[in-house]
Amino acid sequence: MNPNRKFTAIHRLLHWIMAIAMPVLFITGFLRMYWMSKNSIITAVEQNAPGLNKDQLSNIVKLIREPMWEWHELFAHVIIFSFIARIIYMLVQGIRFPNPFLKNQSLKERLQGLTYVYFYFFLAISAATGICIEKGFFTDSKESIETVHKWGVYWFPIFIVLHIGGIFLAERGMKRGMSSKMIGGD
């Protein structure tokens, strides 16, 4: 990416839409898998309201988890559309990130390029598997698709650490002020 390139309003908007949507997806997915899993809620309800039958427990679990899941689906749509818009925008504007597979790239540019590849690759996989789950595609492989989709709980924190580390290094190196430009423009 050209270090002198200005971050346009569209570029910044797409970045921040994704920056807001991703933590919402992470938190709602994490809650669904762990603290608000079916088993966790059933255990809590059974301990505090003994004597409920399976149908009653199932209805309670659905009622508790439904609003959270609606947020997950809403922000999944937001991230998919902003991801597609970002790819199109990058192609139209000619924005490129360093190719990490070129031999003559510096280690810094290689790491920057790998972080972009990592981000786009895992976001595309998460989006594709999420669409398959939502639309009921490939029902024979549903468990495998869900497993791959749930990897987002692990890849997202890794990406955040890489992204913040990259920002820190850029701000301490030759790209000082890049964060300010990404937040407020030039």
Side-chain angles (χ1 to χ4, degrees), residues 21-140:
M22 287 178 64
V24 172
L25 290 168
F26 173 76
I27 291 166
T28 55
F30 180 84
L31 288 173
R32 184 175 174 96
M33 287 173 57
Y34 297 107
W35 292 339
M36 293 183 69
S37 69
K38 287 179 189 175
N39 293 336
S40 296
I41 295 173
I42 287 172
T43 302
V45 172
E46 284 178 330
Q47 288 175 353
N48 292 291
L52 295 174
N53 64 39
K54 250 186 172 176
D55 288 338
Q56 291 170 319
L57 281 172
S58 179
N59 287 336
I60 290 170
V61 169
K62 285 178 186 174
L63 286 171
I64 291 171
R65 290 169 36 139
E66 186 62 30
M68 175 189 61
W69 202 244
E70 288 173 2
W71 279 87
H72 189 83
E73 289 180 340
L74 171 69
F75 278 87
H77 289 100
V78 168
I79 198 121
I80 288 168
F81 289 120
S82 60
F83 176 67
I84 291 168
R86 185 169 175 160
I87 297 295
I88 293 168
Y89 177 77
M90 286 174 56
L91 292 172
V92 169
Q93 288 294 107
I95 297 172
R96 302 284 184 265
F97 52 86
N99 183 343
F101 307 111
L102 292 178
K103 289 183 181 181
N104 62 347
Q105 289 285 31
S106 69
L107 178 61
K108 180 183 157 207
E109 287 178 327
R110 208 176 279 255
L111 291 173
Q112 182 183 9
L114 282 172
T115 302
Y116 276 98
V117 169
Y118 177 84
F119 172 73
Y120 290 116
F121 178 74
F122 280 108
L123 187 56
I125 287 179
S126 292
T129 54
I131 290 167
C132 289
I133 292 166
E134 182 186 24
K135 301 297 182 190
F137 298 150
F138 309 110
T139 54
D140 295 346

Side-chain angles (χ1 to χ4, degrees), residues 7 12 171 176-186:
F7 295 118
R12 292 191 326 268
E171 287 292 336
R176 292 177 192 228
M178 184 176 68
S179 299
S180 298
K181 290 177 183 174
M182 183 53 82
I183 293 168
D186 299 319

